[in-house]
Short mmCIF file of all heavy atoms in Angstrom, two decimals:
data_model
loop_
_atom_site.label_atom_id
_atom_site.label_comp_id
_atom_site.label_asym_id
_atom_site.label_seq_id
_atom_site.Cartn_x
_atom_site.Cartn_y
_atom_site.Cartn_z
N ARG A 76 104.14 78.56 103.28
CA ARG A 76 103.43 79.67 102.67
C ARG A 76 102.38 79.20 101.72
O ARG A 76 101.25 79.75 101.63
CB ARG A 76 104.40 80.62 101.95
CG ARG A 76 105.16 81.57 102.83
CD ARG A 76 105.98 82.56 101.97
NE ARG A 76 106.94 81.97 101.10
CZ ARG A 76 106.81 81.73 99.84
NH1 ARG A 76 105.68 82.07 99.17
NH2 ARG A 76 107.75 81.21 99.09
N GLU A 77 102.68 78.12 100.96
CA GLU A 77 101.70 77.64 100.00
C GLU A 77 100.51 77.09 100.75
O GLU A 77 99.34 77.28 100.31
CB GLU A 77 102.40 76.56 99.18
CG GLU A 77 103.47 77.07 98.20
CD GLU A 77 104.76 77.49 98.91
OE1 GLU A 77 105.00 76.95 100.02
OE2 GLU A 77 105.51 78.28 98.37
N GLU A 78 100.79 76.39 101.82
CA GLU A 78 99.61 75.78 102.57
C GLU A 78 98.77 76.94 103.29
O GLU A 78 97.60 76.84 103.46
CB GLU A 78 100.12 74.85 103.68
CG GLU A 78 100.74 73.57 103.05
CD GLU A 78 101.54 72.72 104.07
OE1 GLU A 78 101.95 73.36 105.11
OE2 GLU A 78 101.78 71.61 103.87
N LEU A 79 99.57 78.02 103.60
CA LEU A 79 98.86 79.13 104.28
C LEU A 79 97.79 79.81 103.37
O LEU A 79 96.71 80.15 103.88
CB LEU A 79 99.88 80.17 104.61
CG LEU A 79 99.39 81.50 105.23
CD1 LEU A 79 98.89 81.24 106.65
CD2 LEU A 79 100.47 82.58 105.27
N GLN A 80 97.99 79.76 102.07
CA GLN A 80 97.07 80.36 101.20
C GLN A 80 95.61 79.71 101.24
O GLN A 80 94.59 80.38 101.11
CB GLN A 80 97.58 80.34 99.71
CG GLN A 80 98.97 80.84 99.54
CD GLN A 80 99.20 82.19 100.15
OE1 GLN A 80 98.46 83.18 99.81
NE2 GLN A 80 100.22 82.27 100.99
N ALA A 81 95.67 78.44 101.45
CA ALA A 81 94.37 77.68 101.59
C ALA A 81 93.87 77.73 103.01
O ALA A 81 92.62 77.61 103.22
CB ALA A 81 94.54 76.20 101.13
N ARG A 82 94.81 77.89 103.97
CA ARG A 82 94.36 77.81 105.36
C ARG A 82 93.70 79.08 105.85
O ARG A 82 92.84 79.07 106.76
CB ARG A 82 95.68 77.58 106.24
CG ARG A 82 95.45 77.44 107.70
CD ARG A 82 94.68 76.13 108.09
NE ARG A 82 94.49 76.03 109.48
CZ ARG A 82 95.25 75.31 110.29
NH1 ARG A 82 96.15 74.47 109.76
NH2 ARG A 82 94.99 75.21 111.60
N MET A 83 94.12 80.24 105.32
CA MET A 83 93.59 81.56 105.79
C MET A 83 92.99 82.30 104.55
O MET A 83 93.55 82.18 103.42
CB MET A 83 94.68 82.44 106.44
CG MET A 83 95.26 81.83 107.66
SD MET A 83 96.54 82.94 108.48
CE MET A 83 95.47 84.15 109.21
N LYS A 84 91.99 83.12 104.85
CA LYS A 84 91.41 83.90 103.77
C LYS A 84 92.22 85.09 103.47
O LYS A 84 93.00 85.55 104.38
CB LYS A 84 89.96 84.32 104.14
CG LYS A 84 89.87 85.21 105.33
CD LYS A 84 88.46 85.56 105.69
CE LYS A 84 88.29 86.55 106.88
NZ LYS A 84 88.89 86.07 108.11
N PRO A 85 92.10 85.76 102.30
CA PRO A 85 92.86 86.93 102.03
C PRO A 85 92.48 88.00 103.04
O PRO A 85 91.39 88.09 103.54
CB PRO A 85 92.40 87.39 100.66
CG PRO A 85 91.92 86.03 99.98
CD PRO A 85 91.32 85.28 101.09
N GLY A 86 93.41 88.88 103.34
CA GLY A 86 93.17 89.93 104.29
C GLY A 86 94.41 90.24 105.15
O GLY A 86 95.48 89.69 104.99
N ALA A 87 94.22 91.15 106.11
CA ALA A 87 95.35 91.59 106.90
C ALA A 87 96.00 90.48 107.69
O ALA A 87 97.26 90.43 107.75
CB ALA A 87 94.87 92.68 107.86
N ALA A 88 95.26 89.52 108.23
CA ALA A 88 95.84 88.43 109.13
C ALA A 88 96.79 87.64 108.31
O ALA A 88 97.97 87.38 108.71
CB ALA A 88 94.76 87.63 109.81
N ARG A 89 96.32 87.23 107.15
CA ARG A 89 97.19 86.36 106.34
C ARG A 89 98.46 87.13 105.82
O ARG A 89 99.52 86.52 105.64
CB ARG A 89 96.45 85.77 105.08
CG ARG A 89 97.20 84.59 104.41
CD ARG A 89 96.40 83.97 103.31
NE ARG A 89 96.40 84.78 102.12
CZ ARG A 89 95.70 84.48 101.01
NH1 ARG A 89 94.90 83.46 101.03
NH2 ARG A 89 95.71 85.27 99.89
N ASN A 90 98.26 88.38 105.56
CA ASN A 90 99.40 89.21 105.10
C ASN A 90 100.52 89.15 106.19
O ASN A 90 101.68 88.96 105.81
CB ASN A 90 98.95 90.63 104.93
CG ASN A 90 100.10 91.56 104.54
OD1 ASN A 90 101.03 91.16 103.85
ND2 ASN A 90 100.07 92.79 105.01
N ALA A 91 100.22 89.46 107.46
CA ALA A 91 101.23 89.41 108.42
C ALA A 91 101.92 88.12 108.55
O ALA A 91 103.13 88.04 108.69
CB ALA A 91 100.54 89.77 109.81
N VAL A 92 101.21 87.05 108.45
CA VAL A 92 101.84 85.69 108.65
C VAL A 92 102.65 85.35 107.37
O VAL A 92 103.77 84.88 107.49
CB VAL A 92 100.78 84.58 108.79
CG1 VAL A 92 101.37 83.18 108.92
CG2 VAL A 92 99.92 84.89 110.14
N ASP A 93 102.15 85.67 106.22
CA ASP A 93 102.82 85.30 104.91
C ASP A 93 104.14 86.07 104.95
O ASP A 93 105.17 85.53 104.58
CB ASP A 93 101.88 85.77 103.80
CG ASP A 93 102.51 85.50 102.44
OD1 ASP A 93 102.54 84.28 102.01
OD2 ASP A 93 103.06 86.42 101.78
N CYS A 94 104.09 87.44 105.19
CA CYS A 94 105.34 88.23 105.16
C CYS A 94 106.30 87.79 106.21
O CYS A 94 107.53 87.80 105.99
CB CYS A 94 104.99 89.67 105.31
SG CYS A 94 104.21 90.34 103.76
N ALA A 95 105.86 87.37 107.42
CA ALA A 95 106.75 86.85 108.43
C ALA A 95 107.45 85.58 107.94
O ALA A 95 108.60 85.32 108.21
CB ALA A 95 105.96 86.60 109.67
N LEU A 96 106.67 84.70 107.23
CA LEU A 96 107.30 83.51 106.74
C LEU A 96 108.32 83.81 105.58
O LEU A 96 109.42 83.18 105.52
CB LEU A 96 106.18 82.55 106.17
CG LEU A 96 105.36 81.82 107.24
CD1 LEU A 96 104.21 81.08 106.50
CD2 LEU A 96 106.24 80.86 108.00
N TRP A 97 108.06 84.76 104.80
CA TRP A 97 108.98 85.21 103.72
C TRP A 97 110.30 85.65 104.41
O TRP A 97 111.45 85.35 104.00
CB TRP A 97 108.48 86.29 102.86
CG TRP A 97 107.70 85.91 101.67
CD1 TRP A 97 106.27 85.98 101.64
CD2 TRP A 97 108.13 85.40 100.43
NE1 TRP A 97 105.82 85.50 100.35
CE2 TRP A 97 107.00 85.18 99.57
CE3 TRP A 97 109.40 85.11 99.91
CZ2 TRP A 97 107.11 84.76 98.33
CZ3 TRP A 97 109.46 84.65 98.63
CH2 TRP A 97 108.28 84.43 97.82
N ASP A 98 110.19 86.50 105.41
CA ASP A 98 111.25 87.02 106.14
C ASP A 98 112.08 85.94 106.84
O ASP A 98 113.36 85.95 106.79
CB ASP A 98 110.83 88.11 107.15
CG ASP A 98 111.94 88.92 107.72
OD1 ASP A 98 112.93 89.15 107.03
OD2 ASP A 98 111.77 89.33 108.90
N LEU A 99 111.38 84.98 107.48
CA LEU A 99 112.02 83.91 108.12
C LEU A 99 112.88 83.01 107.14
O LEU A 99 113.97 82.70 107.33
CB LEU A 99 111.03 83.02 108.85
CG LEU A 99 111.61 81.79 109.60
CD1 LEU A 99 112.54 82.16 110.71
CD2 LEU A 99 110.41 80.95 110.04
N GLU A 100 112.23 82.72 105.98
CA GLU A 100 112.90 81.97 104.96
C GLU A 100 114.15 82.62 104.45
O GLU A 100 115.24 82.00 104.29
CB GLU A 100 111.94 81.75 103.78
CG GLU A 100 110.80 80.79 104.11
CD GLU A 100 109.77 80.81 102.94
OE1 GLU A 100 110.10 81.31 101.85
OE2 GLU A 100 108.63 80.36 103.26
N ALA A 101 114.07 83.97 104.28
CA ALA A 101 115.33 84.71 103.92
C ALA A 101 116.45 84.62 104.88
O ALA A 101 117.61 84.44 104.53
CB ALA A 101 114.86 86.11 103.50
N LYS A 102 116.09 84.87 106.13
CA LYS A 102 117.04 84.86 107.19
C LYS A 102 117.66 83.45 107.49
O LYS A 102 118.85 83.34 107.75
CB LYS A 102 116.54 85.47 108.44
CG LYS A 102 116.28 86.96 108.36
CD LYS A 102 115.62 87.57 109.64
CE LYS A 102 115.65 89.09 109.61
NZ LYS A 102 114.94 89.59 108.42
N ARG A 103 116.85 82.50 107.32
CA ARG A 103 117.30 81.10 107.53
C ARG A 103 118.20 80.65 106.38
O ARG A 103 119.21 80.00 106.64
CB ARG A 103 116.10 80.11 107.65
CG ARG A 103 116.44 78.74 108.06
CD ARG A 103 115.16 77.93 108.13
NE ARG A 103 114.55 77.91 106.77
CZ ARG A 103 113.28 77.63 106.59
NH1 ARG A 103 112.50 77.29 107.57
NH2 ARG A 103 112.84 77.54 105.34
N SER A 104 117.89 81.01 105.19
CA SER A 104 118.62 80.51 104.06
C SER A 104 119.77 81.42 103.58
O SER A 104 120.71 80.97 102.92
CB SER A 104 117.68 80.32 102.86
OG SER A 104 117.19 81.63 102.38
N GLY A 105 119.70 82.66 104.07
CA GLY A 105 120.66 83.59 103.61
C GLY A 105 120.44 84.14 102.19
O GLY A 105 121.26 84.88 101.56
N ARG A 106 119.27 83.77 101.58
CA ARG A 106 118.89 84.23 100.24
C ARG A 106 117.86 85.31 100.37
O ARG A 106 116.72 85.07 100.86
CB ARG A 106 118.41 83.06 99.47
CG ARG A 106 118.09 83.39 98.04
CD ARG A 106 117.33 82.31 97.30
NE ARG A 106 117.08 82.56 95.89
CZ ARG A 106 116.24 81.91 95.16
NH1 ARG A 106 115.38 80.99 95.64
NH2 ARG A 106 116.06 82.28 93.85
N PRO A 107 118.11 86.56 99.99
CA PRO A 107 117.15 87.63 100.08
C PRO A 107 115.91 87.36 99.36
O PRO A 107 115.86 86.62 98.40
CB PRO A 107 117.86 88.80 99.55
CG PRO A 107 119.33 88.52 99.54
CD PRO A 107 119.40 86.96 99.37
N VAL A 108 114.77 87.86 99.90
CA VAL A 108 113.45 87.68 99.25
C VAL A 108 113.57 88.25 97.83
O VAL A 108 112.97 87.68 96.87
CB VAL A 108 112.34 88.39 100.00
CG1 VAL A 108 110.98 88.33 99.20
CG2 VAL A 108 112.21 87.70 101.38
N ALA A 109 114.25 89.32 97.67
CA ALA A 109 114.41 89.91 96.23
C ALA A 109 114.86 88.92 95.26
O ALA A 109 114.42 88.83 94.14
CB ALA A 109 115.31 91.20 96.36
N ASP A 110 115.87 88.13 95.62
CA ASP A 110 116.44 87.07 94.78
C ASP A 110 115.39 85.99 94.54
O ASP A 110 115.26 85.52 93.39
CB ASP A 110 117.69 86.44 95.34
CG ASP A 110 118.90 87.43 95.35
OD1 ASP A 110 118.77 88.51 94.75
OD2 ASP A 110 119.90 87.10 95.94
N ALA A 111 114.71 85.65 95.56
CA ALA A 111 113.70 84.49 95.45
C ALA A 111 112.55 84.86 94.55
O ALA A 111 111.98 84.00 93.84
CB ALA A 111 113.14 84.22 96.79
N ILE A 112 112.17 86.18 94.40
CA ILE A 112 111.06 86.62 93.52
C ILE A 112 111.58 87.13 92.19
O ILE A 112 110.73 87.60 91.40
CB ILE A 112 110.15 87.57 94.29
CG1 ILE A 112 110.87 88.91 94.51
CG2 ILE A 112 109.61 87.04 95.57
CD1 ILE A 112 109.94 89.97 95.09
N GLY A 113 112.93 87.15 92.01
CA GLY A 113 113.38 87.67 90.69
C GLY A 113 113.51 89.13 90.67
O GLY A 113 113.77 89.62 89.51
N ALA A 114 113.52 89.86 91.78
CA ALA A 114 113.70 91.27 91.78
C ALA A 114 115.15 91.53 92.07
O ALA A 114 115.55 92.04 93.18
CB ALA A 114 112.79 91.95 92.81
N THR A 115 116.03 91.21 91.16
CA THR A 115 117.43 91.17 91.44
C THR A 115 118.16 92.58 91.17
O THR A 115 119.31 92.69 91.64
CB THR A 115 118.18 90.12 90.54
OG1 THR A 115 117.79 90.39 89.16
CG2 THR A 115 117.71 88.75 90.95
N SER A 116 117.54 93.52 90.56
CA SER A 116 118.13 94.83 90.33
C SER A 116 117.34 95.86 91.09
O SER A 116 116.71 96.75 90.49
CB SER A 116 118.16 95.12 88.82
OG SER A 116 118.92 94.20 88.11
N LEU A 117 117.40 95.78 92.39
CA LEU A 117 116.71 96.74 93.19
C LEU A 117 117.16 98.15 93.13
O LEU A 117 118.37 98.39 93.01
CB LEU A 117 116.74 96.29 94.69
CG LEU A 117 116.10 94.94 94.98
CD1 LEU A 117 116.27 94.74 96.54
CD2 LEU A 117 114.67 94.82 94.66
N LYS A 118 116.25 99.10 92.98
CA LYS A 118 116.65 100.48 92.91
C LYS A 118 115.61 101.37 93.60
O LYS A 118 114.42 100.96 93.81
CB LYS A 118 116.73 100.85 91.46
CG LYS A 118 115.45 100.61 90.61
CD LYS A 118 115.62 100.93 89.15
CE LYS A 118 114.33 100.75 88.35
NZ LYS A 118 113.80 99.39 88.50
N PRO A 119 115.96 102.51 93.96
CA PRO A 119 115.01 103.49 94.52
C PRO A 119 113.97 103.90 93.48
O PRO A 119 114.27 103.87 92.28
CB PRO A 119 115.79 104.69 94.97
CG PRO A 119 117.22 104.34 94.73
CD PRO A 119 117.27 103.12 93.81
N PHE A 120 112.79 104.31 93.90
CA PHE A 120 111.79 104.83 92.98
C PHE A 120 110.87 105.80 93.65
O PHE A 120 110.98 105.89 94.85
CB PHE A 120 110.94 103.60 92.40
CG PHE A 120 110.29 102.85 93.48
CD1 PHE A 120 109.14 103.18 94.08
CD2 PHE A 120 110.81 101.60 93.78
CE1 PHE A 120 108.49 102.43 95.03
CE2 PHE A 120 110.27 100.78 94.77
CZ PHE A 120 108.99 101.20 95.43
N VAL A 121 110.17 106.56 92.82
CA VAL A 121 109.28 107.58 93.34
C VAL A 121 108.01 106.99 93.92
O VAL A 121 107.31 106.27 93.25
CB VAL A 121 108.98 108.64 92.28
CG1 VAL A 121 107.84 109.57 92.77
CG2 VAL A 121 110.25 109.38 91.98
N THR A 122 107.58 107.40 95.14
CA THR A 122 106.29 107.09 95.66
C THR A 122 105.46 108.23 95.63
O THR A 122 105.93 109.48 95.77
CB THR A 122 106.41 106.54 97.08
OG1 THR A 122 105.04 106.25 97.63
CG2 THR A 122 107.16 107.48 98.02
N ALA A 123 104.16 108.08 95.43
CA ALA A 123 103.19 109.21 95.75
C ALA A 123 103.27 109.63 97.18
O ALA A 123 103.62 108.94 98.04
CB ALA A 123 101.80 108.69 95.37
N PHE A 124 102.96 110.89 97.36
CA PHE A 124 102.80 111.44 98.69
C PHE A 124 101.32 111.93 98.89
O PHE A 124 100.83 112.65 98.00
CB PHE A 124 103.83 112.60 98.94
CG PHE A 124 103.69 113.20 100.26
CD1 PHE A 124 104.40 112.62 101.35
CD2 PHE A 124 102.95 114.34 100.58
CE1 PHE A 124 104.23 113.05 102.68
CE2 PHE A 124 102.83 114.88 101.87
CZ PHE A 124 103.50 114.25 102.87
N THR A 125 100.72 111.53 99.91
CA THR A 125 99.24 111.74 100.03
C THR A 125 98.90 113.00 100.79
O THR A 125 99.45 113.26 101.80
CB THR A 125 98.58 110.52 100.76
OG1 THR A 125 99.00 109.25 100.13
CG2 THR A 125 97.14 110.63 100.89
N LEU A 126 97.93 113.70 100.17
CA LEU A 126 97.32 114.87 100.90
C LEU A 126 95.92 114.50 101.41
O LEU A 126 95.12 114.06 100.61
CB LEU A 126 97.15 116.05 99.89
CG LEU A 126 98.42 116.49 99.16
CD1 LEU A 126 98.07 117.75 98.31
CD2 LEU A 126 99.60 116.74 100.00
N SER A 127 95.69 114.65 102.71
CA SER A 127 94.41 114.33 103.28
C SER A 127 93.31 115.23 102.73
O SER A 127 93.52 116.33 102.31
CB SER A 127 94.47 114.43 104.79
OG SER A 127 95.24 113.38 105.35
N LEU A 128 92.09 114.74 102.90
CA LEU A 128 90.90 115.44 102.51
C LEU A 128 90.69 116.59 103.43
O LEU A 128 90.73 116.36 104.68
CB LEU A 128 89.67 114.50 102.52
CG LEU A 128 88.31 115.17 102.20
CD1 LEU A 128 88.31 115.74 100.76
CD2 LEU A 128 87.26 114.13 102.42
N ALA A 129 90.50 117.79 102.92
CA ALA A 129 90.28 118.98 103.74
C ALA A 129 89.56 120.03 102.94
O ALA A 129 89.20 119.80 101.75
CB ALA A 129 91.62 119.49 104.37
N GLU A 130 89.41 121.19 103.50
CA GLU A 130 88.83 122.26 102.65
C GLU A 130 89.88 122.71 101.62
O GLU A 130 91.07 122.52 101.78
CB GLU A 130 88.49 123.46 103.55
CG GLU A 130 87.36 123.18 104.48
CD GLU A 130 86.08 122.80 103.72
OE1 GLU A 130 85.73 123.52 102.76
OE2 GLU A 130 85.49 121.69 104.11
N PRO A 131 89.37 123.27 100.46
CA PRO A 131 90.35 123.60 99.42
C PRO A 131 91.56 124.42 99.82
O PRO A 131 92.67 124.18 99.37
CB PRO A 131 89.42 124.39 98.44
CG PRO A 131 88.06 123.88 98.70
CD PRO A 131 88.00 123.64 100.11
N GLU A 132 91.40 125.41 100.68
CA GLU A 132 92.46 126.28 101.06
C GLU A 132 93.54 125.52 101.83
O GLU A 132 94.77 125.66 101.63
CB GLU A 132 92.01 127.45 101.96
CG GLU A 132 91.04 128.38 101.21
CD GLU A 132 89.62 127.90 101.15
OE1 GLU A 132 89.32 126.83 101.77
OE2 GLU A 132 88.78 128.42 100.42
N ALA A 133 93.13 124.53 102.69
CA ALA A 133 94.01 123.76 103.45
C ALA A 133 94.81 122.76 102.57
O ALA A 133 95.96 122.54 102.68
CB ALA A 133 93.28 123.04 104.55
N MET A 134 94.05 122.13 101.62
CA MET A 134 94.68 121.26 100.74
C MET A 134 95.65 121.98 99.74
O MET A 134 96.70 121.42 99.50
CB MET A 134 93.68 120.53 99.84
CG MET A 134 92.75 119.57 100.74
SD MET A 134 91.67 118.52 99.70
CE MET A 134 92.82 117.32 99.06
N ALA A 135 95.30 123.18 99.35
CA ALA A 135 96.26 123.98 98.54
C ALA A 135 97.56 124.28 99.32
O ALA A 135 98.63 124.17 98.81
CB ALA A 135 95.58 125.25 98.08
N ALA A 136 97.40 124.68 100.54
CA ALA A 136 98.53 124.97 101.38
C ALA A 136 99.44 123.77 101.56
O ALA A 136 100.71 123.85 101.51
CB ALA A 136 98.07 125.47 102.75
N GLU A 137 98.87 122.54 101.79
CA GLU A 137 99.66 121.37 101.90
C GLU A 137 100.30 121.06 100.56
O GLU A 137 101.49 120.58 100.57
CB GLU A 137 98.73 120.22 102.36
CG GLU A 137 99.47 118.96 102.76
CD GLU A 137 100.37 119.06 103.99
OE1 GLU A 137 100.24 120.05 104.72
OE2 GLU A 137 101.23 118.20 104.18
N ALA A 138 99.56 121.21 99.45
CA ALA A 138 100.20 120.96 98.18
C ALA A 138 101.37 121.94 97.94
O ALA A 138 102.41 121.49 97.39
CB ALA A 138 99.14 121.12 97.12
N ARG A 139 101.22 123.14 98.34
CA ARG A 139 102.31 124.12 98.19
C ARG A 139 103.56 123.67 98.97
O ARG A 139 104.70 123.86 98.47
CB ARG A 139 101.79 125.53 98.57
CG ARG A 139 102.62 126.64 98.02
CD ARG A 139 101.95 127.95 98.26
NE ARG A 139 100.73 128.11 97.50
CZ ARG A 139 99.45 128.13 97.99
NH1 ARG A 139 99.29 128.00 99.34
NH2 ARG A 139 98.48 128.29 97.31
N ARG A 140 103.31 123.23 100.13
CA ARG A 140 104.47 122.70 100.92
C ARG A 140 105.17 121.50 100.31
O ARG A 140 106.30 121.25 100.63
CB ARG A 140 103.98 122.44 102.40
CG ARG A 140 103.77 123.57 103.25
CD ARG A 140 103.56 123.12 104.74
NE ARG A 140 102.25 122.52 104.95
CZ ARG A 140 101.11 123.11 105.28
NH1 ARG A 140 101.09 124.46 105.33
NH2 ARG A 140 99.99 122.50 105.40
#
Side-chain angles (χ1 to χ4, degrees):
R76 282 189 296 101
E77 291 73 24
E78 293 166 341
L79 178 68
Q80 308 311 303
R82 180 70 179 258
M83 298 183 76
K84 66 182 184 297
R89 194 176 77 185
N90 176 33
V92 178
D93 182 75
C94 288
L96 285 172
W97 274 105
D98 191 32
L99 178 64
E100 292 168 17
K102 289 179 168 58
R103 188 182 61 199
S104 67
R106 184 189 186 200
V108 174
D110 289 352
I112 67 174
T115 53
S116 300
L117 298 181
K118 58 186 182 299
F120 55 80
V121 169
T122 175
F124 181 81
T125 304
L126 306 185
S127 287
L128 177 64
E130 291 304 308
E132 297 78 9
M134 294 188 74
E137 188 67 14
R139 198 170 292 112
R140 281 191 289 271

